[in-house]
Amino acid sequence: MSCIFCDIIEGNIKSERVYEDENCIIIKDIEPIAPIHYLMIPKKHYSKLEEASVSEAMELSFMLNKLGQMKKELGLEEGYRIIINQGKNAGQTVDHLHIHVLAGKELNWQV
Ligand code: AMP
Ligand code: ZN
């Protein structure tokens, strides 16, 4: 099964990586919708929140905490929004769970 984010994690597809640890990478989204648009991607492949094992769910929680701790380095001091698209109606196009991180301006709240 091919997965673009697994390929990015393995280094087979190039990306602008801004952070990496044992659990996740953070890359710049190739089609940004805000001045700052990162994707925080767990290294383990699963598509939906409910598919995560207990340890993967805990890793996800640590990742979000880590993101908050890296606000300054990532230019998120003025605030940021995290979004996880899940399924068709949410517009999920890549079946490898990822967290959009949007920042860099005052974001509006329309869908
Ligand atoms: P989603 O629609 O929530 O599944 O988000 C997938 C995101 O991945 C989109 O915002 C795309 O712009 C982004 N994306 C797709 N391919 C790449 C890539 N090669 N490098 C960086 N971002 C990508
Ligand atoms: Zn994957």
Side-chain angles (χ1 to χ4, degrees):
M1 178 210 58
S2 83
C3 167
I4 190 165
F5 288 171
C6 283
D7 283 342
I8 285 174
I9 289 159
E10 282 157 23
N12 299 328
I13 292 179
K14 268 206 253 170
S15 66
E16 257 195 273
R17 211 172 276 218
V18 299
Y19 175 77
E20 176 167 14
D21 65 20
E22 66 276 22
N23 295 324
C24 73
I25 59 168
I26 302 178
I27 63 170
K28 291 188 181 174
D29 196 293
I30 204 167
E31 287 183 56
I33 61 163
I36 295 174
H37 187 170
Y38 301 122
L39 298 173
M40 190 175 214
I41 309 173
K43 287 187 172 175
K44 307 249 180 73
H45 179 102
Y46 55 95
S47 174
K48 301 288 186 290
L49 286 164
E50 66 271 22
E51 292 166 12
S53 64
V54 171
S55 66
E56 287 162 354
M58 284 173 68
E59 281 166 13
L60 207 52
S61 159
F62 282 119
M63 282 165 48
L64 291 173
N65 175 259
K66 183 76 200 172
L67 181 70
Q69 289 173 2
M70 294 191 300
K71 270 193 305 203
K72 199 167 173 195
E73 299 92 300
L74 296 175
L76 308 176
E77 302 104 310
E78 300 298 317
Y80 60 97
R81 182 171 296 159
I82 56 175
I83 296 172
I84 305 178
N85 291 327
Q86 292 280 268
K88 181 175 77 67
N89 279 4
Q92 183 176 11
T93 58
V94 179
D95 277 336
H96 181 134
L97 190 131
H98 50 283
I99 301 158
H100 293 265
V101 182
L102 305 175
K105 69 169 190 179
E106 281 192 24
L107 302 166
N108 61 29
W109 189 239
Q110 251 111 50
V111 289

